[in-house]
């Protein structure tokens, strides 16, 4: 099994865990002492970096995960112990955007180095 196949499996698993943490009971979501804003940014940054490693199309991955982050946050309005928050959407989108732009930078640098 190649590293790309493992990364693809892990990225799908991470997104599935994200859905469970976002739409499950509030105490299922892992939290750090740094605040929920940092948790949203760092979590989406890490997931986006993993997905961009598995599927090296950062702009496509970025748009898809930004839409997904906004959709998940909106769906939290329908859960009994959570509410949707626009600031959380922006923190999540910021993490996705930062990771996607960084991945695009690395991909372009590597292409330029190999050419």
């Amino acid at each position: 099994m190649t590293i790309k196949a493992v990364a693809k499996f892990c990225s799908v698993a991470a997104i599935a865990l994200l859905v469970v943490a976002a739409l499950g009971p509030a105490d299922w979501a892992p939290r750090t002492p740094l605040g929920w804003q940092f948790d949203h940014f760092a979590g989406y940054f890490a997931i986006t970096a993993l997905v961009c490693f598995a599927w090296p199309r950062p702009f496509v991955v970025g748009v898809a995960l930004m839409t997904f982050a906004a959709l998940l946050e909106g769906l939290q309005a329908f859960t009994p112990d959570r509410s949707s928050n626009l600031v959380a959407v922006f923190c999540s989108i910021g993490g996705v955007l930062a990771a996607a732009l960084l991945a695009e930078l690395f991909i372009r640098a590597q292409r330029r180095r190999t050419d």
Side-chain angles (χ1 to χ4, degrees):
M1 186 175 253
T2 66
I3 190 78
K4 291 285 186 177
V6 171
K8 286 180 181 183
F9 175 78
C10 289
S11 63
V12 170
I15 290 173
L17 287 173
L18 178 65
V19 170
V20 169
L23 299 178
D27 58 346
W28 285 8
R31 295 284 179 220
T32 66
L34 299 173
W36 61 266
Q37 295 94 341
F38 176 79
D39 294 344
H40 278 259
F41 183 88
Y44 276 97
F45 184 92
I47 289 172
T48 304
L50 179 63
V51 174
C52 284
F53 178 73
W55 288 282
R57 301 279 310 253
F59 291 132
V60 174
V61 168
V63 169
L65 286 178
M66 284 184 218
T67 305
F68 183 70
L71 177 67
L72 268 182
E73 195 64 35
L75 287 173
Q76 285 184 359
F78 300 109
T79 60
D81 59 344
R82 294 176 186 249
S83 61
S84 58
N85 185 344
L86 188 60
V87 175
V89 173
F90 289 137
C91 291
S92 302
I93 287 175
V96 171
L97 184 61
L101 290 175
L102 195 59
E104 180 67 25
L105 177 72
F106 283 139
I107 290 169
R108 287 185 184 204
Q110 185 165 4
R111 281 186 196 149
R112 181 166 286 178
R113 192 174 52 142
T114 58
D115 288 343

